[in-house]
Amino acid sequence: MEYRRLGSSGLKVSQLSFGSWVTFGNQMDLKKAKECIQYSFEQGINFFDNAEVYAKGASEELMGQAFRELGIPRHHYIISTKFFWGIEDVVNFRNTLNRKYLMHAMHESLKRWKMDLIDLIYCHRPDPETPIEEIVQTMHEIIQRGDALYWGTSEWSAKQIAEAYDFAVSNGFHRPVMEQPQYNLIHHHKVDQEFTPLYKKMGLGLTTWSPLASGILTGKYLNTIPENSRLALKSMTWLQEELHQPSIQKAVKELHQISESSHIPMSQLAIGWCTLNPQVSTVILGASRIEQLKENLKTLEILNSIRDLRKELSQIADLNATA
Ligand code: NDP
């Protein structure tokens, strides 16, 4: 496992990491979560991604309990959480980054994790109704208080990130260090185009999500939607629209062809392509069972073969150049 700097910070994250969206507290119970965390950790993964909204807080509780029961020393791993959507139907606590919400959300999250601090905290989406000054100052204060170590954004535009960074720098506040965008062979415009000036300006780090586009890039949906898969879940039917887009179907079919001729599973080609981008600090993997995690982690063993196919893979990415 290679460890990469999280942007311009001094923190190093494993090039592959493990996240809990849809899985922890839904498809996975404590036993399965522990099995996956243990395996990830043994393979060198040191970053585990989470969010307040995942399973409405249950994902944080489960991950916290799993780490405690596994007895892994707290300073050996990095965890994250993210705030924006909120989990209580109360005015000021939904779809926001206002100070009242952020302070409360941080406090409640620590209680769920049963931990003293969260390493990375993210503003999960931009909030056009809260001034950037209020957001940056609140993130700064959370870090000053020792509740978190680094802060960043998720799915913000380059302009919004630059504004936050400039305000932090000019006021001596903790700067945003990392962004968490979707990045895969289908969705890559932000990482490959929009954020380019930010890599130089602020050394932006990237913790990227959905390397398999929720499983679409494994080829498992080529003929049908398997019963026990993410796209069959009631809450995830919106993803079926994506699946049926002609340019996405074409990309999946072409990836399938490269997989057939190279004898490398589609999942590993897709994950490998993300990992080979040096701007990416870590590619966050998802898995609903340990067998998937094992297959996905094998990507690292054949990264050089995937490097040789990079040109062909980037041509697939070009089919959805603006996504
Ligand atoms: P992927 O795109 O890799 O999708 C993972 C899912 O694909 C699995 O849960 C599984 O679903 C299926 N899968 C994985 N590996 C295989 C395999 N080898 N063969 C067949 N099916 C496979 O990643 P995620 O979408 O889960 O994203 C990863 C992490 O990124 C999340 O856990 C979360 O931490 C983070 N994230 C952040 C977001 C943000 O807004 N900041 C948004 C989304 C994710 P199944 O078996 O159910 O079909």
Side-chain angles (χ1 to χ4, degrees), residues 182-189 192 209-213 217 247-248 251-252 254-256 258 266-274 306 309-321 323:
Q182 179 169 193
Y183 184 57
N184 53 49
L185 283 165
I186 296 170
H187 299 279
H188 51 89
H189 178 77
D192 289 340
W209 59 269
S210 282
L212 299 174
L217 290 168
S247 61
I248 292 180
V252 177
E254 291 195 9
L255 183 63
H256 184 245
I258 298 182
M266 290 172 70
S267 55
Q268 290 170 12
L269 290 169
I271 292 166
W273 182 80
C274 301
I306 300 175
L309 296 165
R310 211 173 164 194
K311 208 168 145 209
E312 285 100 307
L313 294 170
S314 293
Q315 280 166 358
I316 295 182
D318 288 344
L319 294 170
N320 292 280

Side-chain angles (χ1 to χ4, degrees), residues 19 21 27 49 154 180 210 212 214 220 230 288 292 296:
W21 180 51
Q27 296 165 306
D49 187 62
S154 179
Q180 188 167 130
S210 282
L212 299 174
S214 274
K220 69 200 281 182
R230 181 177 292 183
S288 66
Q292 294 173 349
N296 299 347

Side-chain angles (χ1 to χ4, degrees), residues 52-103:
E52 174 198 57
V53 75
Y54 296 169
K56 293 189 183 141
S59 171
E60 293 179 312
E61 273 170 11
L62 201 65
M63 199 177 265
Q65 191 178 352
F67 273 114
R68 273 194 309 284
E69 292 189 11
L70 287 168
I72 302 174
R74 176 63 187 91
H75 61 295
H76 288 195
Y77 58 89
I78 295 160
I79 51 166
S80 71
T81 195
K82 315 188 199 83
F83 306 120
F84 173 71
W85 280 285
I87 50 176
E88 274 183 275
D89 255 329
V90 177
V91 181
N92 287 319
F93 285 78
R94 280 283 186 199
N95 305 340
T96 183
L97 295 171
N98 76 63
R99 183 180 171 82
K100 186 171 171 67
Y101 161 72
L102 283 176
M103 286 294 185

Side-chain angles (χ1 to χ4, degrees), residues 57 59-69 74 77 79 106-118:
S59 171
E60 293 179 312
E61 273 170 11
L62 201 65
M63 199 177 265
Q65 191 178 352
F67 273 114
R68 273 194 309 284
E69 292 189 11
R74 176 63 187 91
Y77 58 89
I79 51 166
M106 184 72 241
H107 187 68
E108 292 300 302
S109 171
L110 288 171
K111 284 204 273 184
R112 284 190 293 272
W113 283 93
K114 294 200 172 79
M115 291 193 187
D116 297 334
L117 69 89
I118 307 299

